[in-house]
Amino acid sequence: MNTFFDLLVSSILLAGLYMTMSFGLTMIYGVMKIINLAHAGVIMLGAYLTYTLYHTLGIDPILSLVINLPLFFLFGMFIHRVFVSRVPLADVPTLPSLLLLFGIWLILQNIAYLIWSGNDRSIMTAYTTSTFQILGAHVSLIRVIVFVISILALIFLQLFLSRTYMGKAIRAITQNRNSARLAGIDVERISMVAFGIGIAFAALAGTLMSTMYSFNPDFGRTFLLKAFVIIVLGGLESFYGVAIGALLLALFESYSALFIQASLQPAISFTLLVVILIFLPGGITGLLQRRRKAA
């Protein structure tokens, strides 16, 4: 019973991190129908910037978010303005956009090799190994902190999308880009802002992950694949779907540890992705919409 409860708590906390690393992909795909393959590179770069700020200036990884998020937001808008805006938009991901963002990922990765080398790095703070108990379950303090920040990020995103003009414009473009343009929305400018937000969320995920995992320039690849699984499971454009998808993947991974070796856990994600694409191509939100129409 204790093991079951421990895994449940662990799954919920892990789902918070998975949500954060997937929101950026969903935001960019929803607005521009682009699969941001550079997402993994930004996660990696966010981890390294946090590492550098901690070891050179002594800035706590959590406090470094005050620097990281605005910086990566501007970095995302720069990438969109200089590179992504030159790729013709379409209603489905195109080969030029995939190749462009894959190339940016490789550039970021090689920059990291030049600056930080290929050695594994990690961040050890005073609270990295701290734990406490919840109803008998041992819980890592850093995982709770990461979970709380992830929930706050979700609340912020929801308020931003529902209460601000910019957020409503992003939702309008997500639903129909041409209609949004006819309504007077500056689609190019809103897309640039949305891309910046997506990149900032990737950096947020990288910062949080740097407090939990060691990393190197290849960091982010596995998490990118998991993010794909989550957004496909959630229905590609739904933030609530992403939250559900993140929780389901975390539950699958955590409880599978009872039956298979830890080294085989990545296979869970890939198997789940194949199953979803075959039997549930619209994701959970697509399934719910079909049932709502049928009711």
Side-chain angles (χ1 to χ4, degrees), residues 168-212:
K168 291 176 181 176
I170 288 174
R171 289 168 56 200
I173 296 174
T174 301
Q175 292 174 4
N176 192 308
R177 187 187 306 131
N178 293 326
S179 297
R181 198 189 301 274
L182 290 173
I185 295 175
D186 187 342
V187 173
E188 284 70 27
R189 188 171 69 89
I190 298 298
S191 296
M192 184 171 64
V193 173
F195 199 89
I197 294 173
I199 292 297
F201 264 95
L204 170 62
T207 299
L208 298 180
M209 288 177 184
S210 71
T211 63
M212 300 168 60

Side-chain angles (χ1 to χ4, degrees), residues 1-7 9-10 131-140:
M1 185 62 186
N2 285 339
T3 301
F4 182 87
F5 186 67
D6 285 348
L7 290 176
V9 173
S10 175
T131 62
F132 61 95
Q133 287 194 343
I134 297 178
L135 299 177
H138 293 278
V139 179
S140 165

Side-chain angles (χ1 to χ4, degrees), residues 3 6 11 15 21 63 79 111 124 180 192 209 263 266:
T3 301
D6 285 348
S11 300
M21 74 181 189
L63 294 179
I79 290 178
I111 289 174
M124 290 294 294
M192 184 171 64
M209 288 177 184
S263 59

Side-chain angles (χ1 to χ4, degrees), residues 111-142:
I111 289 174
Y113 273 115
L114 286 173
I115 298 176
W116 294 285
S117 78
N119 297 329
D120 284 354
R121 311 281 176 151
S122 61
I123 298 175
M124 290 294 294
T125 65
Y127 50 85
T128 298
T129 57
S130 299
T131 62
F132 61 95
Q133 287 194 343
I134 297 178
L135 299 177
H138 293 278
V139 179
S140 165
L141 175 61
I142 190 62

Side-chain angles (χ1 to χ4, degrees), residues 41-55:
V42 177
I43 288 176
M44 174 271 299
L45 212 57
Y48 271 113
L49 180 59
T50 306
Y51 171 86
T52 302
L53 291 173
Y54 180 68
H55 284 281

